[in-house]
């Protein structure tokens, strides 16, 4: 006889229900009674056997036909099987385990069948029937498991190459169904044990069956056999990716899209192997950067007058409104189903308390399951579509910012600065794209609250209205806080821009900064900006803290107010009403917490939109400035280049003066850092010039006379005030400061044109590059570092000349192309290139080389921005005035050369110098150069820029520990963990108190109820304040430490690091990675800890009411962990790939900004823009698939959470009352409703934390860079060292990096104090390397340099470098003022500075400026000519008055007149100094005491100039002869 409380269907062994049983009882009988359960299992067994039989027959037939077909095609020798992969052992173990589990289940079925057959005689007919049924079922089970074991065993019988990588689908379905039905058996068995009516021995066996079937559940879901080698795997995966449409988002089915299954192949691949960028498929065509930008551009306001106040926002809205509407619709759909769960709590509580029919209970569970599943679907598609929209917006903005940089006027580019424009791309575009679905939260949040309050009103009546007051207070507080925060955000972003601009400048000119020992000066500038940035960030984060506390506490305060009002107004509270209310308030947590995030995001996006508006609306180059005419139909002598009455100006605006000093703490308006109105300064006046087709025209003049500006006005780079410019045909431009792309030499020369081998060879020959390419181990495939860092000045100049020549243009604009090359090379290029390959082309040549002027058709002489003379050489010479002064200066410089030649001619009867010229050709570069590599050096590489280092696999726990213990050690972790635990305990205590008081088991005391609840709520709020403050303070301190460590490490890094590391890699770490550490990680660490504590406590509370639900929860939690691990492996690599694909966008952009003039002149904007789009698309691929993987995980985890809740709810209504803790039903469901969101959110936050920890990993990579030698040592040199300037170089050998050949190959030289030494040699002979060795930018590989008895290698670098003076090859000015440029350290008085300016011939120019010494110097010194910049560098060394002075091509960019003046100044100012001067101009070294001739890294000659000229085979003599004769020989 069964106990009355036991449902009849649970314990019966009958195989059919009673005739009149109601439908719910029939359903319960079908799934929960032993006989129908076994029938279901038998049906699965039989289906599997039939499928296995059919597939076996089909395979046999195919094998027979394939044998007949392939007999004739079989190879004589079979191919050897590929070698087993290194992971084979682990994989075959997986296969053996599957086989073992199947065999064990078959064996168990056999044993049970034998026992059932041999049991004692039946008690009655029903018992006999039951046993017969059992035997039949067990026989089917035995056969099915034997077939399964056979199928698994057969998988291994084939070769490794053809072994299947996944189990057959019918086998996986069989395992899945078996595991599910076994779990159902176990649940029924547990219930029968609970009622005390177990069926023996069946029920204990059911539990054993569950244990055996769990491995099969894993294999069914995972699918992998563990067989097949890696090669096969890769090929199969590639085939799947190429052939399977389900892996492609654009072609996926609606079901695949709905469940995010289209990304399964990528996640599978990511979980089994490390992903590379080739594994990630492209985004859909509609989501590419091209499509997004085209849409954005089509909606950009057409004319300036019609542009609204916020054109970027307006254009984005017009472009993407359908996606905005779609996300809004998904948001409403989510809202419409999210309150189904809380509304059912009261119904469940009442059902459990009073009892009810099974139909009603099942209906409640079904509604709960359907509602939560619909909520999961809507919420994840809302997030995914929002992110996809954000991604398209980011692509459009990145493309727009880049495109604008190609069109930006010179003044506007100078005003914004490269660093700030990098921030527009890196930060502002990101902020605007991230705000897309946050916008909807602004209206969804009030709507969610209104719906929640309306539903609560039906349960609690008017008492709910008190919650409105709490919401109003919270909203006002948050609104006020965010208004203040807007100001702080604006200031913070401004300071971050300044810091990035300073770092960009520092990285661009690191060589000069190291040479001058200014690291500490420039480093302190960056640190001050960082301190100011952190100050505004701290204020902003503390306000965010307050917001967080207010919004976390909001629901708690509402609960206290509403329940207090209910008690006062006499509303009867029970568990159903109380926990319905708490569930609603808990659901308000989400919208109320997302509201400050939304406001903060919108705040940041508003600031960013304003900045983007200003940038995208800023002045562009006016295409109408220059009239371009096609070259066709123009006669041979027609004018092709014409300027008529031209007046041109530069836009000189820059940073506002007061912006640097003043910070208005109270000002709420967003101060523009950039002046918006152009400040025009007229530079060229009354320009009239004509150049005919095929002519070579030269432009000459003193430093600062406007020569380079003249070329700029012809290219349309300047603002035209009046006049007319007409250009007929295509133009090529060679800039004075060489611009080289990061890429191979060949790529730089071709510059997007197809390869024509004959022409290419001719171009490299005419530009004198053949010898250089021979010298390089990889020839023209040698990769050039950023800004051409691994090339000499001459090589860079000749490569960019070759680029221009290869383009086949009509007009060539050449800006001082001979300044960086020696005399011989210059002559060769003029003869072979300008008058050879470019014969018949129109050439406008700016030059200081008077020698070439005999051979040009027209000369334009410039002075003070005007063309003062024009005509042929002889005409101008007769006319006198400016031109004759230039020629006179040149002639006087040639006197020494002539004297030297006369000396030689009297001593030698034959013109040996002329004969010696060929020896210069043959000896200038040793042909054996590329074999002079020490044997121990590893093989060199053509790539100077190596692939970016990227970690793989899981983010190491070391990285977490590094971040969390950086500021306070382990105490920080202990503090956050302790506060989180105590806070969670206080939060749960309030709910337990509610549950206890409303259970009905004790008398209800209103005042005690509210008093205790209020006290617990107060403690909870206080703990929340402390917890949030601790996280913020700890986060800020950690961010500060990380930046300081990285910045110090970069400052101390050797020069070789900057040569081989693109600045984009450093900038992306200092910008986006540091921003992640500043803003995000502090909150994510605390949030992850809190969320995991919440998840575990919620599971405990949910399961405590019906403990058998733990049986369902454990496998589902294991599935959770399995999904998380699969996702994390993929997401982690995608995040790293995203970081790696971001940097090239910035590298390419910074490169473009510097070379914008060249790109525009060659009309290559579209090619560069396309390359930018390709790089953006590469980054989008990673970002899109990373986020899709995130939603894939979230969707599955939330569904699992929904299943856990539904199983718990089902057990609540189906288990007998003695199993259920009725007082906790409301609390359990209230917690359970948030479980799916909590589990997803916790795992999602932890995954985001791991992905963001990649930022720590990347920043830490640059925090531990190898350092150059110590800056300062205890053993300082004497204060007045060097006293005499005696230099001894002993066997000096230098190489740039360990894997490169020697550059200097054993130099031994002695120099007396006060000597003037000239260093000459062909381009690439090691002249600049010698100077770098003195400054220890490159440490000697061997040998010593001793100055005044002190070994340079024994000194600290700052002690060494600060005692030398240097005028570097590339004159560098920094953004700031004249004072800050000539005296960056600030150690000299104004009178000393004026004196130095007078000596370097700049006093008049500076004095003419209104601000005098505070006159503006733009970014890179763009508003000063190259010659003037060179003079400023001379002014610096005049101020320092060092005993040893180095001049590296110090007069390369100045005319002969200025050159003579500089030589005079150096003779007077540095009469007692040792001077080592590198020069290409022979006159510059003719008055030196001795000349050092270098060739291929060796000393060839070292003596007085006159003595060297006397020697018959002198290299120097040949150079002098070449220089003197080049005019006549051209």
């Amino acid at each position: 006889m069964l106990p009355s409380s036991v449902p009849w269907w649970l314990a019966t062994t009958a195989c059919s229900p009673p005739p009149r049983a109601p439908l719910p009882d029939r359903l319960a009988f079908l799934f929960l009674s032993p006989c129908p359960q076994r029938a279901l299992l038998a049906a699965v067994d039989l289906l599997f056997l039939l499928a296995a039989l059919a597939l076996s027959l089909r395979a046999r037939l195919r094998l027979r036909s394939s044998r007949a077909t392939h007999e004739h095609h079989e190879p004589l020798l079979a191919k050897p099987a590929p070698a087993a992969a290194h992971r084979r052992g682990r994989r075959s173990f997986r296969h053996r385990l599957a086989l073992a589990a199947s065999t064990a289940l078959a064996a168990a079925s056999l044993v049970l069948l034998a026992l059932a057959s041999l049991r004692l005689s039946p008690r009655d007919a029903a018992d006999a029937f039951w046993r017969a049924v059992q035997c039949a079922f067990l026989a089917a089970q035995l056969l099915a498991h034997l077939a399964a074991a056979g199928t698994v065993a057969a998988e291994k019988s084939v070769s490794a190459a053809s072994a299947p990588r996944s189990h057959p689908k019918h086998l996986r379905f069989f395992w899945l169904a078996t595991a599910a039905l076994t779990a159902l058996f176990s649940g029924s068995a547990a219930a029968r044990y609970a009622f005390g009516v177990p069926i023996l021995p069946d029920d204990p066996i059911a539990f054993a069956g569950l244990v055996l079937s769990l491995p099969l559940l894993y294999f069914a879901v995972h699918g992998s056999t563990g067989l097949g080698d890696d090669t096969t795997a890769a090929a199969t995966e590639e085939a799947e990716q190429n052939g399977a449409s389900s892996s492609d988002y654009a072609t996926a089915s609606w079901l695949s899209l709905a469940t995010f299954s289209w990304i399964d192949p990528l996640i599978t691949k990511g979980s089994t192997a490390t992903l590379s960028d080739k594994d990630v498929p492209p985004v859909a065509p509609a989501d590419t950067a091209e499509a997004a930008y085209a849409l954005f551009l089509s909606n950009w306001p057409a004319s300036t007058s019609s542009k609204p106040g916020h054109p970027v926002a307006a254009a984005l809205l017009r472009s993407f409104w359908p996606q905005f509407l779609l996300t809004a619709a998904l948001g409403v759909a989510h809202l419409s189903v999210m309150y189904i769960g809380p509304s059912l709590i009261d119904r469940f509580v009442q059902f459990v308390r009073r009892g009810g029919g099974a139909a009603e209970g099942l209906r409640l569970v079904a509604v709960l399951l359907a509602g939560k599943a619909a909520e999961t679907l809507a919420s994840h598609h809302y997030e995914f579509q929002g992110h996809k929209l954000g991604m398209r917006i980011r692509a459009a903005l990145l493309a727009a910012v880049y495109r604008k940089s190609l069109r930006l006027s010179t003044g506007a580019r100078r005003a914004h600065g490269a660093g700030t424009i990098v921030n527009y791309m890196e930060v502002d575009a990101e902020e605007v794209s991230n705000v897309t679905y946050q916008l909807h939260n602004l209206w969804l949040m009030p709507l969610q609250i209104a719906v929640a309050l309306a539903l609560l009103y039906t349960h609690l009546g008017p008492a709910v209205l008190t919650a409105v007051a709490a919401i109003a207070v919270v909203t006002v507080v948050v609104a006020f806080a965010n208004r203040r925060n807007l100001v702080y955000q604006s200031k913070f972003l401004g300071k971050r821009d300044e810091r990035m601009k300073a770092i960009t400048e520092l990285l661009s000119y690191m060589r000069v900064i190291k040479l001058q020992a200014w690291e500490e000066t420039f480093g302190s500038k960056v640190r001050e900006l960082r301190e100011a940035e952190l100050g505004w960030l701290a204020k902003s984060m503390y306000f965010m803290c307050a917001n967080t506390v207010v919004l976390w506490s909001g629901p708690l305060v509402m609960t206290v107010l509403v329940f207090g009002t209910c008690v006062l107004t006499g509303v009867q509270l029970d568990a159903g009403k109380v926990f319905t209310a708490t569930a609603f308030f808990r659901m308000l947590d989400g919208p109320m917490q997302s509201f400050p995030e939304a406001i903060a995001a919108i705040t940041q996006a508003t600031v960013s939109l304003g900045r983007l508006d200003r940038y995208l609306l800023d002045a562009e180059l006016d295409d109408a400035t220059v009239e371009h005419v096609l070259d066709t139909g123009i006669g041979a002598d027609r004018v092709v280049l014409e300027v008529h009455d031209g007046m041109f100006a530069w836009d000189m605006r820059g940073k506002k003066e007061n912006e640097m000093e003043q910070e208005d703490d109270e000002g709420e308006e967003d101060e523009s850092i950039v002046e918006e109105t152009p400040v025009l300064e007229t530079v060229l006046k009354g320009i009239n010039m004509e150049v005919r087709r095929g002519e070579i025209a030269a432009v000459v003049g003193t430093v600062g006379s406007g020569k380079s500006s003249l070329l700029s006005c012809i290219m349309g780079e300047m603002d035209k005030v009046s006049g007319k410019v007409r250009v007929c045909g295509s133009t090529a431009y060679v800039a004075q400061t060489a611009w080289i792309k990061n890429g191979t030499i060949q790529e730089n020369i071709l510059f997007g044109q197809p390869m024509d081998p004959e022409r290419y060879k001719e171009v490299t020959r005419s530009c004198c590059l053949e010898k250089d390419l021979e010298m390089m181990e990889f020839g023209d495939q040698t990769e050039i570092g950023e800004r051409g860092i691994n090339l000499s000045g001459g090589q860079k100049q000749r490569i960019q000349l070759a680029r221009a020549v290869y383009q086949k243009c009509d007009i060539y604009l050449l800006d001082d192309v001979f300044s960086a090359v020696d005399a011989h090379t210059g002559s060769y290029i003029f003869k072979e290139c300008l008058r050879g390959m470019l014969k018949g082309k129109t050439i406008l040549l700016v030059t200081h080389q008077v020698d070439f002027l005999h051979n040009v058709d027209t000369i334009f002489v410039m002075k003070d921005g005007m063309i003062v003379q024009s005509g042929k050489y002889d005409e101008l010479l007769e006319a006198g005035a400016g031109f004759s002064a230039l020629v006179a200066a040149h002639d006087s410089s040639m006197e020494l050369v002539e004297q030297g030649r006369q000396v030689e001619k009297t001593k030698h009867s034959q013109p040996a110098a002329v004969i010696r010229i060929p020896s210069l050709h043959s000896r200038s570069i040793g042909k054996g150069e590329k074999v002079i590599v020490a044997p121990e050096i590893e093989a060199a590489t053509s790539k100077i820029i190596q692939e970016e280092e990227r970690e793989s696999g899981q983010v190491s726990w070391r990285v977490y520990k590094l971040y969390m213990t950086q500021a306070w050690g382990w105490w920080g972790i202990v503090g956050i963990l302790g506060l989180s635990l105590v806070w969670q305990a206080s939060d749960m205590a309030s709910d337990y108190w509610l549950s206890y008081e409303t259970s009905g088991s004790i008398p209800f005391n209103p005042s005690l109820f509210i008093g205790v609840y209020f006290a617990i709520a107060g403690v909870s709020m206080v703990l929340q304040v402390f917890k949030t403050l601790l996280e913020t303070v700890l986060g800020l301190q950690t961010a500060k430490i990380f930046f300081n460590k990285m910045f110090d490490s970069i400052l101390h890094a050797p020069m070789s690091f900057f040569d081989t590391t693109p600045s984009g890699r450093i900038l992306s770490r200092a910008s986006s990675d540091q921003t992640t550490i500043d803003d995000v990680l502090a909150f994510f660490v605390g949030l992850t800890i809190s969320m995991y504590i919440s998840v575990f406590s919620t599971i405990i509370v949910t399961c405590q009411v019906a403990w058998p639900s733990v049986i369902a929860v454990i496998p589902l939690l294991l599935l959770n962990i399995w999904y998380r691990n699969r996702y994390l492996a993929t997401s982690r690599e995608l995040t790293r790939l995203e970081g790696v694909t971001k940097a090239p966008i910035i590298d390419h952009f910074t490169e473009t900004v510097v070379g914008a003039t060249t790109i525009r002149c060659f009309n290559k904007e579209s090619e560069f823009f396309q390359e930018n789009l390709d790089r953006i698309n590469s980054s989008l691929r990673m970002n899109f698939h990373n986020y899709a993987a995130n939603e894939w995980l979230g969707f599955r985890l939330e569904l699992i959470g929904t299943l856990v809740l539904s199983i718990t709810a089902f057990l609540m209504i189906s288990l007998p009352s003695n199993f259920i803790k009725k007082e906790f039903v409301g609390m359990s469901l209230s917690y359970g409703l948030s479980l799916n969101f909590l589990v997803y959110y916790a795992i999602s936050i932890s995954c985001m934390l791991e992905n963001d920890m990649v930022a720590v990993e990347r920043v830490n990579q640059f925090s531990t860079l190898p350092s150059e030698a110590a800056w300062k040592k205890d053993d300082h040199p004497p204060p007045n060292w060097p006293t005499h300037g005696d230099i001894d170089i002993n066997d000096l050998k230098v190489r740039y990096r360990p894997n490169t050949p020697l550059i200097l190959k054993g130099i031994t030289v002695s120099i007396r104090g006060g000597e003037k030494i000239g260093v000459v040699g062909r381009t690439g002979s090691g002249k600049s390397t010698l100077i770098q060795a003195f400054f220890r930018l490159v440490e000697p590989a061997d040998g010593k340099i001793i100055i005044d008895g002190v070994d340079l290698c024994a000194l600290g670098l700052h002690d060494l470098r600060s005692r030398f003076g240097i005028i570097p090859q590339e004159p560098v000015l920094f953004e700031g003022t004249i004072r800050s440029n000539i005296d960056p350290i600030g150690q000299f008085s104004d009178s000393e500075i004026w004196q130095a300016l007078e000596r370097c011939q700049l006093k008049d120019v500076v004095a003419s400026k209104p601000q005098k010494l505070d006159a503006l110097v733009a970014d890179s010194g763009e508003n000063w000519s190259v010659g003037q910049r060179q003079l400023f560098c001379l002014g610096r060394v005049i101020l320092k008055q060092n005993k040893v002075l180095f001049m590296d091509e110090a007069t390369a960019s100045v005319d002969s007149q200025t050159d003579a003046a500089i030589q005079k100044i150096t003779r007077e100012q540095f009469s007692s100094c040792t001077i080592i001067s590198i020069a290409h101009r022979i006159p510059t070294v003719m008055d030196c005491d001795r000349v050092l001739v270098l060739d291929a890294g060796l000393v060839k000659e070292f003596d007085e100039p006159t003595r060297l000229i006397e020697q018959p085979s002198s290299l120097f003599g040949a150079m002098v002869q070449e220089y003197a004769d080049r005019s006549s020989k051209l």
Side-chain angles (χ1 to χ4, degrees), residues 437 721 1134 1223 1250 1505:
Y437 55 83
V721 181
L1134 284 171
E1223 68 273 19
E1250 174 146 0

Side-chain angles (χ1 to χ4, degrees), residues 27 142 300 328 581 817 841 950 1133 1272 1280 1300 1390 1410 1442:
L27 286 171
L142 170 63
W300 184 257
V817 289
K841 304 286 185 182
R950 143 170 110 90
E1133 295 314 314
K1272 289 179 180 171
N1280 58 345
T1300 56
D1390 280 11
N1442 299 105

Side-chain angles (χ1 to χ4, degrees), residues 81 207 318 460 468 837 1135 1167 1328 1439:
F207 292 121
R318 285 187 203 137
L460 299 175
V468 178
M837 276 209 79
T1135 302
E1167 285 94 328
S1328 293
L1439 266 181

Side-chain angles (χ1 to χ4, degrees), residues 1202-1219:
T1202 300
L1203 277 176
V1204 170
L1205 177 65
S1206 302
I1207 289 166
T1208 306
F1210 176 73
L1211 291 171
M1212 279 179 194
I1213 62 162
S1214 59
L1215 288 175
S1217 55
N1218 61 332
F1219 263 84

Side-chain angles (χ1 to χ4, degrees), residues 419-428 496-497 500 611 1071:
T420 307
I421 304 176
V422 165
N423 265 355
Y424 296 150
M425 294 185 89
E426 276 261 85
V427 180
D428 294 309
R496 184 165 61 190
D497 279 354
M500 285 306 296
R611 287 149 54 84
S1071 182

Side-chain angles (χ1 to χ4, degrees), residues 1194-1442:
F1195 180 73
R1196 280 150 182 75
L1197 295 191
E1198 287 213 38
L1199 280 183
I1200 290 169
T1202 300
L1203 277 176
V1204 170
L1205 177 65
S1206 302
I1207 289 166
T1208 306
F1210 176 73
L1211 291 171
M1212 279 179 194
I1213 62 162
S1214 59
L1215 288 175
S1217 55
N1218 61 332
F1219 263 84
I1220 304 296
K1221 295 180 179 176
K1222 293 182 180 178
E1223 68 273 19
F1224 293 131
V1225 167
M1227 182 179 172
S1228 176
L1229 280 173
S1230 168
Y1231 271 72
L1233 283 169
S1234 61
L1235 180 63
N1236 62 346
F1237 168 74
L1238 273 178
V1239 168
Y1240 160 63
Y1241 198 56
I1243 288 181
S1244 169
I1245 287 285
S1246 70
C1247 292
M1248 285 161 76
L1249 175 66
E1250 174 146 0
N1251 290 341
D1252 284 330
M1253 274 291 167
V1254 173
V1256 175
E1257 196 176 67
R1258 281 164 56 80
V1259 167
N1260 189 52
Q1261 277 175 359
F1262 280 20
S1263 300
T1264 51
L1265 298 170
S1267 175
E1268 60 183 352
W1271 282 354
K1272 289 179 180 171
K1273 290 187 178 176
D1274 296 335
D1275 187 17
H1276 293 290
N1280 58 345
W1281 179 88
T1283 46
H1284 305 293
D1286 294 334
I1287 300 173
D1288 289 301
I1289 304 174
N1290 300 323
D1291 193 28
L1292 180 67
K1293 293 176 183 173
V1294 172
R1295 61 166 55 91
Y1296 278 113
R1297 282 175 304 285
N1299 61 342
T1300 56
L1302 287 169
I1303 306 298
L1304 300 181
K1305 301 164 186 171
I1307 290 180
T1308 303
V1309 168
S1310 285
I1311 297 166
R1312 295 181 294 276
E1315 268 195 303
K1316 311 289 182 288
I1317 304 296
V1319 182
V1320 295
R1322 193 182 181 282
T1323 300
S1325 59
K1327 303 185 296 293
S1328 293
T1329 306
L1330 178 62
I1331 288 188
Q1332 290 186 51
F1334 271 100
F1335 285 84
R1336 285 172 60 201
L1337 285 185
V1338 186
E1339 294 287 346
D1342 198 5
K1344 286 183 177 182
I1345 303 176
I1346 295 168
I1347 297 182
D1348 287 349
V1350 177
D1351 182 355
L1352 298 193
C1353 289
L1355 296 176
L1357 292 181
H1358 274 196
D1359 288 331
L1360 167 68
R1361 293 167 183 170
S1362 61
R1363 304 298 176 91
F1364 294 161
I1366 182 166
I1367 305 175
Q1369 189 170 2
E1370 288 185 21
V1372 168
L1373 296 186
F1374 304 95
E1375 186 177 11
T1377 62
I1378 290 170
R1379 179 187 278 105
S1380 70
N1381 264 280
I1382 202 162
D1383 179 24
I1385 301 173
Q1387 64 187 103
F1388 299 103
S1389 66
D1390 280 11
S1391 60
E1392 288 173 307
I1393 292 172
W1394 279 115
Q1395 206 174 352
L1397 287 171
E1398 186 175 15
R1399 286 171 183 164
C1400 66
Q1401 300 198 329
L1402 284 170
K1403 184 179 179 182
D1404 294 343
V1405 184
V1406 176
S1408 67
K1409 304 273 179 186
Q1411 304 94 335
K1412 303 289 190 283
L1413 290 177
D1414 293 319
L1416 179 78
V1417 175
D1419 190 12
S1420 307
E1422 278 185 354
N1423 56 335
W1424 297 85
S1425 76
V1426 177
Q1428 287 170 326
R1429 286 180 232 166
Q1430 198 72 280
L1431 292 173
F1432 273 119
C1433 294
L1434 177 63
R1436 285 176 189 154
V1437 296
I1438 290 172
L1439 266 181
K1440 284 173 75 178
Q1441 286 293 326
N1442 299 105

Side-chain angles (χ1 to χ4, degrees), residues 823-824 827 851 894 896-905 908 910-920 1480 1482-1483 1486 1505 1508-1530:
H824 157 69
S827 310
D851 323 77
M894 289 296 290
L896 283 169
V897 180
E898 292 300 325
Q899 287 166 12
R901 289 176 72 210
Q902 294 307 318
V903 168
E904 188 184 9
K905 282 181 181 176
H908 302 282
Q910 60 170 352
V914 179
I915 293 168
R916 282 194 297 273
I917 291 171
S919 73
L920 180 68
H1480 286 144
I1482 296 300
M1486 282 306 292
L1508 288 177
I1509 290 171
E1510 288 168 11
Q1511 293 170 13
S1513 59
S1514 166
L1515 279 175
F1516 180 69
M1519 288 180 185
V1520 172
Q1521 181 66 41
E1522 174 71 30
Y1523 190 82
D1525 290 350
R1526 64 178 176 178
S1527 303
S1528 57
K1529 287 179 72 181
L1530 290 173

Side-chain angles (χ1 to χ4, degrees), residues 587-609:
M587 292 199 80
L588 288 180
D589 267 4
M592 289 186 71
Q593 281 164 42
S594 63
F595 194 57
E597 289 171 22
I599 291 175
I602 289 163
T603 298
Q604 289 171 351
T606 307
V607 174
S608 293
L609 278 169

